[in-house]
Amino acid sequence: MTANRISANISQTDREAVMQAIATIKAKLPFLIDLTTEERKSLPKLGDKSRAFVSKALEVAVQNPDFLPRSFDVDEMRRDVELFEALYPILLSITQLQELLDDTFVAVGSEAYAAGLLVYNYAKASGKGTGLDVALDDMGQRFARKNRKVQQS
């Protein structure tokens, strides 16, 4: 059997507490939006390299508002920059948490699947005639190949 890297349980109470914490996070960030793939692709991205540029642009806009059109809202730009900076550490923390959760989910799923394969193989090897035929047939459906249509010339 492969190495068992995960051996843990999560109680229903803890699971509910985690789900409530996620709900609290969503409630504290009611302005979150859901972009389509097309919207996400079409938007200019503000990454690490552009953060200094945007900060400098805001500083220029605040100190020199006369060259900007009247319709340009410096206060809205400031709110956007401040929100971006406030969300940045939250995003980093949530991203790290998601990576840990995803890696744990993949590892524990792999362990469960490997154990299931062992059970199936042992049952196939020594379970005939012990009342396991139906269970083995059901489990074997996981490996059944779909018939390919025969192409006519």
Side-chain angles (χ1 to χ4, degrees), residues 25 29 88-100:
I25 291 168
L29 304 172
Y88 191 72
I90 296 170
L91 179 64
L92 289 176
S93 183
I94 294 288
T95 300
Q96 181 183 18
L97 177 61
Q98 176 168 0
E99 288 175 6
L100 291 169

Side-chain angles (χ1 to χ4, degrees), residues 132-151:
L132 293 177
D133 293 342
V134 173
L136 284 170
D137 286 345
D138 286 347
M139 292 171 70
Q141 293 302 310
R142 162 63 182 87
F143 306 104
R145 294 182 183 224
K146 294 180 181 176
N147 292 335
R148 293 189 176 163
K149 293 181 181 177
V150 178
Q151 294 181 353

Side-chain angles (χ1 to χ4, degrees), residues 40-59:
R40 183 177 277 277
K41 286 180 183 178
S42 70
L43 293 173
K45 310 298 185 285
L46 175 55
D48 288 337
K49 292 180 183 178
S50 301
R51 286 172 77 181
F53 168 82
V54 170
S55 293
K56 181 66 76 177
L58 176 59
E59 192 175 308

